[in-house]
Amino acid sequence: SHGPPPVAVRAVSVISLIRCSTVYSTRRPSPRSSRRHDAGQAAVELALVLPLLAVFTVVIAQFAVIARDQMAMWQLARETARDIAVATDPIERCSEILPTLPEGSTASIIDSTVTVQVKRVVHLSIAGFGFIHPTTTLDARVTMALEPQVSFGANDRSQMR
């Protein structure tokens, strides 16, 4: 009467073995190994994001440099126009100043206004990549009224005292 167990009993014992092995193989890792896994994940994420962040920062810096250069061009055009506008001989002053301006710049006197246009070609280095060399032209144009010449005679100077 001690024969092999019935088939139903063998099937139940196999199912219980499978359940037990599944339970043991899916145990949660200890908190210590979980922290190690998270630290590795953070390092990988940093390695993926850091180059993009660096390129983004360089591009923003490049645009800031261009904006600064454009403001400097406007300031140069304003100062030049003002210098010509208040000169005693604006035409002569215009011919003196024009050679000092960047190539492609112009200064003209029409009627009672002086117009100064300053141009400069800027070579961009997008995000530090040397193989990309686009250029842009910065341009600033200012028009100012010529200041009327005031002459002080001998009588005018005595009145100022």
Side-chain angles (χ1 to χ4, degrees), residues 46-111:
L46 180 66
L48 291 173
V49 172
L50 196 58
L52 295 174
L53 185 61
V55 168
F56 185 67
T57 303
V58 170
V59 167
I60 288 175
Q62 182 70 47
F63 282 115
V65 168
I66 292 170
R68 182 205 58 195
D69 288 350
Q70 181 63 51
M71 287 190 292
M73 297 294 286
W74 283 326
Q75 184 65 26
L76 176 63
R78 270 193 300 270
E79 288 177 0
T80 304
R82 179 73 181 152
D83 193 10
I84 294 171
V86 298
T88 49
D89 187 1
I91 296 172
E92 181 183 332
R93 188 65 184 143
C94 185
S95 62
E96 291 172 356
I97 289 181
L98 195 55
T100 64
L101 297 176
E103 186 177 333
S105 301
T106 60
S108 61
I109 299 172
I110 300 173
D111 295 329

Side-chain angles (χ1 to χ4, degrees), residues 94-130:
C94 185
S95 62
E96 291 172 356
I97 289 181
L98 195 55
T100 64
L101 297 176
E103 186 177 333
S105 301
T106 60
S108 61
I109 299 172
I110 300 173
D111 295 329
S112 62
T113 61
V114 59
T115 301
V116 176
Q117 183 173 11
V118 182
K119 290 184 179 184
R120 182 172 165 237
V121 176
V122 177
H123 300 281
L124 305 175
S125 173
I126 303 295
F129 295 111

Side-chain angles (χ1 to χ4, degrees), residues 21-43:
S21 65
T22 304
V23 169
Y24 288 116
S25 66
T26 59
R27 273 191 306 179
R28 298 187 68 158
S30 69
R32 187 173 184 176
S33 67
S34 176
R35 275 184 267 142
R36 229 179 299 134
H37 174 71
D38 290 344
Q41 180 182 354

Side-chain angles (χ1 to χ4, degrees), residues 1-11 13:
S1 97
H2 282 349
V7 177
V9 173
R10 273 189 269 170
S13 59

